Amino acid sequence: MKMNKIRSAEIICVGTELLLGQIINTNAAWLARELSLLGIYSYYQTVVGDNAERLTNMLETATGRSDLIILTGGLGPTQDDLTMATVAAFAGRPMLLHQESQQAIAARFQLMHQRRVPSNNWKQAMMPEGALVLPNNNGTAPGAMLTIASSNNGTVTLVMLPGPPSEMQPMFNESVRPQLVKCTTTRLKHCFVRMIGIGESAAESRLLDLISSQTNPTVAPYAAEGEVMFRVTQSLDRDEEMDKTAEVIGEIQKRLGDYIYEIGTRSLPEVVKDLLEEQDSTVSLAESCTGGMISAALTDIPGASTIFTGCVVAYDKQIKVQQLHVPETVIQEHGEVSEACARAMATGCRDVFNTTYSLAVTGLAGPTGGSDEKPVGLIWLAVAGPQEVATRQLQLSGSRSRIRRVSVLQALDFLRRQILK
Amino acid sequence: MKMNKIRSAEIICVGTELLLGQIINTNAAWLARELSLLGIYSYYQTVVGDNAERLTNMLETATGRSDLIILTGGLGPTQDDLTMATVAAFAGRPMLLHQESQQAIAARFQLMHQRRVPSNNWKQAMMPEGALVLPNNNGTAPGAMLTIASSNNGTVTLVMLPGPPSEMQPMFNESVRPQLVKCTTTRLKHCFVRMIGIGESAAESRLLDLISSQTNPTVAPYAAEGEVMFRVTQSLDRDEEMDKTAEVIGEIQKRLGDYIYEIGTRSLPEVVKDLLEEQDSTVSLAESCTGGMISAALTDIPGASTIFTGCVVAYDKQIKVQQLHVPETVIQEHGEVSEACARAMATGCRDVFNTTYSLAVTGLAGPTGGSDEKPVGLIWLAVAGPQEVATRQLQLSGSRSRIRRVSVLQALDFLRRQILK
């Protein structure tokens, strides 16, 4: 049976380990993103256990509301792996032995130098009658694609993919996407506008008209901790090239430009790295309450060594003095959490590491150690640059780890602004 | 309305960004695990967009099959955040202004030194009539808990939690768990056996009989990156005290004792911190390829300053020489990724920071920079202690970030073993 045009999809992930929270479901997000880029919007994602009855109920619900249903997981050789058989029974198709798959399984075990194929692996060569079999080049379980009549007089296409991302993703790319492209009329073009220094609701209130009035491209807020993100999405016809996002993005820039650090997909550490590279500049870090998190974030980027020389985590007062040459008197007079200490840490760090810039952070992440004068969440930032030393105070709220995470973003953004000066 | 006993739960995550695959759904896994620890099994996990009609359909389906429905997301101040209003409408409850929440929101903005509260934030103080309001100490959106009559003549409890994990998790721990405990007939007593240095399948094969034969307590593997975890679960009646887990755990220890670092709930950094405290010892760090991640992990623990003085992230060769006093000759003869360099980093670090122990890590995290002689994933660890300097080589595989994360665990475990000597 031929696929009709696909308007709506949903994703069903099968696996008891998902229901027990033993593994995080990354397949749903990956598939949803790939589908949305094909212009196919998925309205539901569901996780069900390895249970034929509940999976059948899900299939009844799903086939009644979606044109495309992608299932992952439950294609393994064990007896709890029952996705393929359950779908076949639901579709009223017998399970037939698929010769090529049988040969592929034998070949794979030979590849693994196992001459005997475990008997239960042959089960993986059983396919619903009339299904398009999707070869698996990274595992033993082939997938399948089956189009059947739907309860609403149309057709619904069921795609069964293996659970492991290392098998599922290549199978989707090699065998599923080419099929889906034939059945879509539009694609989606996304652009992200990322900003720091303004709250989500404050930012949205300045874009309310764009968010509510725009139809193509659309503007939507996008949740992110410690920063604010908006997604600009344009729907294009199959071969349309024209970019309609630029104008809307220009309008967002006009209204919120001062807070925007990225129009695209780069993270804040990546933006900072690229800025430093453009300027042939380097940076070193003096961290106290963030305890190495900023350093970890920068070094998470491949090739960070071109702009990052190192970091001193000065958790103990003596380290601030010995390693960063903070004058004892500064700590005695102002304390470790003070503008003067942050300033001294940054200048000391820049001299020790001999970098263009140094970023220093000192503060109280809590939960204890706060006072009326210096409450938990008080953070001092300092950036020592070629010309001047700039400082900034933050007063953050929330848990210890939230205070630390937000401090990292605010510190990197403060550095970014100094570099741009 | 009072909650009945809870037998089955399901989790509904609300958010268009989840449906578009822009963020990975970690809330469902976290909640599913916490529920299973309470003896509550969740049979379904669903993701729906910020869409009142589809959310209402989901609520109809869910309230017909589950006693407890936990919703996350859609409590924000923005227009498309409509979870609370949709649930209220579904339950036939008017939305009422909740004074305390209104005050809490005002207080939070004051804390952020914003005198004016954005008008759309007040929406977050509107609560369904009769709901138990759950305060949010890490964000502006309070949660709510509402028990209503279910279509099958019982009751169903709806719990609305914010989407950001940093707000959702504390709210569940502080306000939801205490309520749920009252509604479960059995308790599950869990004990985790956590180990490092052995593969999951190797560990499993040594416990196969326990995993398959045990009924109460049960033994189950628990997915975790870079380490192996087994969960020993005993099901107890409400007030039963008898502990049946000890014997099984003893058996696991007999078979895998050398790999076990924790029987309980402490993370590896916490175990290391406690060990150092017991010995009145301190540690300092010299990190290269891990770029501050070990330091960040240790300082994530409140009160880490008792055992941790500081860290040098020596990303650049010169820093290894200047800050950690690694002899130039060592680097010339052996290179930065070598046993000799790791050893010199550890001893230099211990002298500079004057701590009982110093842990040094140097290696190639990739993706580039590898050679036949020194491939990506080659890591050298060194621990300088009071008596001796111990070194260890790792050869890790996978992505840059996986190599870094596993290096952190292996390094902390190596330190732990040296402390125990």
Side-chain angles (χ1 to χ4, degrees):
Chain A
M1 190 176 283
K2 208 182 137 303
M3 268 192 267
N4 290 350
K5 288 273 166 277
I6 293 170
R7 292 164 303 272
S8 64
E10 71 182 273
I11 297 159
I12 300 175
C13 300
V14 184
T16 299
E17 70 278 19
L18 289 166
L19 281 185
L20 288 170
Q22 284 166 355
I23 59 171
I24 288 170
N25 183 2
T26 58
N27 284 346
W30 189 88
L31 284 167
R33 198 176 56 240
E34 294 304 314
L35 289 174
S36 79
L37 293 176
L38 287 167
I40 300 171
Y41 193 81
S42 43
Y43 290 99
Y44 299 93
Q45 296 169 3
T46 315
V47 173
V48 282
D50 303 291
N51 175 289
E53 186 192 343
R54 281 188 289 274
L55 179 53
T56 305
N57 292 342
M58 265 318 301
L59 289 169
E60 255 149 35
T61 310
T63 51
R65 66 190 179 189
S66 302
D67 307 321
L68 172 68
I69 298 160
I70 298 188
L71 299 99
T72 66
L75 302 189
T78 75
Q79 55 186 18
D80 352 334
D81 292 299
L82 38 73
T83 299
M84 199 63 82
T86 305
V87 169
F90 175 79
R93 306 286 182 95
M95 293 280 273
L96 306 176
L97 180 67
H98 186 250
Q99 301 285 351
E100 291 160 45
S101 298
Q102 188 180 28
Q103 286 151 17
I105 290 166
R108 171 157 292 274
F109 275 92
Q110 226 160 23
L111 209 69
M112 297 187 294
H113 307 291
Q114 293 183 30
R115 290 192 34 264
R116 227 189 92 279
V117 176
S119 57
N120 49 4
N121 276 93
W122 294 126
K123 167 186 162 196
Q124 299 182 297
M126 300 297 289
M127 290 290 149
E129 186 180 44
L132 169 69
V133 177
L134 314 173
N136 185 340
N137 301 315
N138 303 283
T140 54
M145 203 158 168
L146 184 64
T147 300
I148 61 174
S150 70
S151 52
N152 48 31
N153 310 327
T155 67
V156 55
T157 298
L158 298 147
V159 181
M160 285 64 76
L161 301 175
S166 58
E167 301 177 29
M168 185 278 285
Q169 293 177 11
M171 189 180 288
F172 182 91
N173 291 332
E174 294 158 14
S175 307
V176 182
R177 182 183 284 107
Q179 299 292 329
L180 296 183
V181 168
K182 301 180 199 158
C183 310
T184 58
T185 50
T186 59
R187 17 189 204 105
L188 295 188
K189 184 170 181 300
H190 291 294
C191 182
F192 295 94
V193 183
R194 307 180 67 161
M195 51 194 91
I196 280 186
I198 182 169
E200 184 185 5
S201 49
E204 192 187 341
S205 64
R206 298 206 206 169
L207 303 180
L208 225 45
D209 54 329
L210 299 180
I211 293 166
S212 48
S213 72
Q214 286 285 330
T215 56
N216 187 27
T218 57
V219 178
Y222 179 121
E225 186 183 43
E227 67 176 291
V228 172
M229 240 191 269
F230 288 92
R231 184 187 69 244
V232 179
T233 308
Q234 178 186 359
S235 166
L236 298 121
D237 295 338
R238 175 119 308 298
D239 306 309
E240 185 183 355
E241 282 309 325
M242 178 182 171
D243 181 355
K244 299 180 188 161
T245 58
E247 194 184 325
V248 183
I249 290 166
E251 184 57 33
I252 297 173
Q253 276 178 296
K254 209 183 297 170
R255 302 185 193 185
L256 295 165
D258 183 46
Y259 304 105
I260 296 171
Y261 72 81
E262 167 70 348
I263 296 171
T265 57
R266 294 177 305 168
S267 67
L268 183 56
E270 288 169 322
V271 168
V272 169
K273 175 189 179 261
D274 292 351
L275 268 179
L276 288 164
E277 254 170 6
E278 287 159 22
Q279 298 196 1
D280 286 309
S281 299
T282 55
V283 67
S284 55
L285 303 168
E287 299 192 55
S288 185
C289 59
T290 47
M293 293 170 76
I294 302 173
S295 178
L298 279 180
T299 55
D300 192 42
I301 309 167
S305 52
T306 55
I307 55 100
F308 176 70
T309 56
C311 166
V312 169
V313 178
Y315 219 58
D316 180 86
K317 187 196 300 178
Q318 277 316 307
I319 307 307
K320 294 187 177 74
V321 176
Q322 283 166 33
Q323 296 294 302
L324 298 169
H325 309 148
V326 175
E328 297 259 16
T329 54
V330 166
I331 294 176
Q332 281 153 15
E333 287 167 28
H334 306 278
E336 289 180 82
V337 179
S338 63
E339 179 172 23
C341 186
R343 178 181 291 270
M345 286 167 70
T347 49
C349 187
R350 187 191 49 195
D351 301 344
V352 167
F353 285 85
N354 186 29
T355 46
T356 328
Y357 297 91
S358 272
L359 168 64
V361 185
T362 180
L364 293 159
T368 59
S371 66
D372 295 355
E373 189 205 351
K374 293 182 177 181
V376 166
L378 172 67
I379 313 284
W380 276 102
L381 309 175
V383 170
Q387 277 78 34
E388 51 162 8
V389 183
T391 62
R392 187 171 166 220
Q393 188 194 53
L394 307 174
Q395 182 57 60
L396 304 175
S397 58
S399 66
R400 175 183 175 85
S401 44
R402 180 180 186 276
I403 288 172
R404 278 159 48 97
R405 286 194 302 270
V406 174
S407 297
V408 169
L409 286 174
Q410 291 286 347
L412 284 168
D413 186 59
F414 188 56
L415 171 61
R416 180 186 68 90
R417 291 169 182 274
Q418 298 310 311
I419 299 169
L420 285 173
K421 266 194 180 167
Chain B
M1 188 176 278
K2 210 183 137 301
M3 265 191 270
N4 288 350
K5 293 274 168 271
I6 293 171
R7 290 164 305 273
S8 65
E10 71 182 271
I11 297 159
I12 300 175
C13 301
V14 184
T16 300
E17 68 274 24
L18 289 166
L19 280 185
L20 287 169
Q22 282 155 356
I23 59 173
I24 288 170
N25 184 0
T26 58
N27 285 345
W30 189 88
L31 284 167
R33 194 167 62 221
E34 294 304 313
L35 289 174
S36 78
L37 297 180
L38 289 166
I40 300 170
Y41 191 77
S42 43
Y43 290 97
Y44 298 94
Q45 297 170 3
T46 315
V47 173
V48 281
D50 303 290
N51 175 290
E53 186 193 343
R54 283 188 288 272
L55 178 53
T56 305
N57 292 341
M58 266 317 302
L59 289 169
E60 256 150 33
T61 310
T63 51
R65 67 190 179 188
S66 302
D67 307 322
L68 172 68
I69 297 159
I70 299 189
L71 299 99
T72 66
L75 302 189
T78 72
Q79 281 197 322
D80 47 6
D81 292 301
L82 37 72
T83 301
M84 200 63 82
T86 306
V87 169
F90 174 80
R93 306 287 183 94
M95 293 280 273
L96 305 176
L97 179 67
H98 186 251
Q99 301 285 350
E100 291 159 44
S101 299
Q102 188 180 27
Q103 286 153 17
I105 291 166
R108 172 157 291 273
F109 276 91
Q110 224 160 24
L111 210 66
M112 298 187 292
H113 303 289
Q114 293 183 28
R115 284 186 46 261
R116 223 188 94 276
V117 177
S119 56
N120 46 5
N121 274 95
W122 294 127
K123 165 188 162 195
Q124 299 182 297
M126 299 298 289
M127 290 289 150
E129 186 181 44
L132 171 68
V133 177
L134 316 172
N136 185 340
N137 300 315
N138 302 285
T140 55
M145 204 159 170
L146 184 64
T147 300
I148 61 175
S150 70
S151 51
N152 49 31
N153 309 327
T155 67
V156 55
T157 298
L158 298 146
V159 181
M160 283 66 75
L161 300 174
S166 59
E167 301 177 29
M168 185 277 286
Q169 294 177 11
M171 189 181 288
F172 181 91
N173 291 332
E174 294 158 14
S175 307
V176 182
R177 182 181 286 108
Q179 299 292 331
L180 296 183
V181 168
K182 301 180 200 157
C183 308
T184 54
T185 49
T186 59
R187 288 175 296 129
L188 292 190
K189 183 172 184 303
H190 288 284
C191 185
F192 291 92
V193 184
R194 307 181 68 161
M195 51 194 89
I196 281 186
I198 183 170
E200 185 178 5
S201 50
E204 224 175 300
S205 64
R206 297 207 207 169
L207 303 180
L208 226 45
D209 55 326
L210 299 180
I211 294 167
S212 50
S213 70
Q214 289 284 334
T215 56
N216 189 25
T218 57
V219 178
Y222 215 72
E225 185 181 44
E227 66 175 293
V228 173
M229 231 194 277
F230 288 92
R231 191 179 74 183
V232 180
T233 308
Q234 177 186 0
S235 167
L236 298 130
D237 296 338
R238 178 116 305 301
D239 307 311
E240 187 182 351
E241 282 310 326
M242 178 179 174
D243 181 356
K244 299 176 185 165
T245 59
E247 194 184 323
V248 184
I249 291 166
E251 185 56 35
I252 297 173
Q253 275 178 298
K254 210 183 296 169
R255 303 185 192 186
L256 295 165
D258 183 46
Y259 305 104
I260 297 171
Y261 71 81
E262 166 72 348
I263 296 172
T265 56
R266 292 178 306 167
S267 68
L268 182 54
E270 288 169 324
V271 168
V272 169
K273 174 185 179 262
D274 293 349
L275 269 178
L276 288 164
E277 253 169 7
E278 287 160 21
Q279 299 196 359
D280 286 309
S281 300
T282 55
V283 67
S284 55
L285 303 167
E287 299 191 56
S288 185
C289 59
T290 47
M293 292 169 78
I294 302 173
S295 178
L298 280 179
T299 55
D300 193 42
I301 309 166
S305 53
T306 54
I307 54 101
F308 177 69
T309 57
C311 166
V312 169
V313 178
Y315 218 59
D316 180 85
K317 186 196 300 178
Q318 277 317 306
I319 307 306
K320 294 186 176 77
V321 175
Q322 284 167 31
Q323 296 294 300
L324 298 169
H325 309 148
V326 175
E328 297 261 14
T329 55
V330 166
I331 295 177
Q332 282 151 15
E333 287 166 29
H334 305 277
E336 290 179 81
V337 180
S338 63
E339 179 172 24
C341 186
R343 178 181 290 271
M345 285 167 71
T347 50
C349 187
R350 186 191 51 194
D351 301 345
V352 167
F353 285 86
N354 187 29
T355 47
T356 327
Y357 297 91
S358 271
L359 168 65
V361 185
T362 180
L364 293 159
T368 60
S371 66
D372 295 355
E373 189 206 351
K374 293 183 177 179
V376 167
L378 172 67
I379 312 284
W380 275 102
L381 308 176
V383 171
Q387 278 77 34
E388 52 163 8
V389 183
T391 61
R392 189 176 163 215
Q393 188 193 54
L394 307 174
Q395 183 57 61
L396 305 175
S397 60
S399 66
R400 175 184 176 86
S401 45
R402 180 181 184 276
I403 288 171
R404 278 158 48 96
R405 288 193 300 269
V406 175
S407 298
V408 169
L409 288 174
Q410 290 286 349
L412 284 169
D413 186 59
F414 188 56
L415 172 60
R416 179 186 70 88
R417 290 169 182 274
Q418 298 310 311
I419 298 169
L420 286 172
K421 268 194 176 164

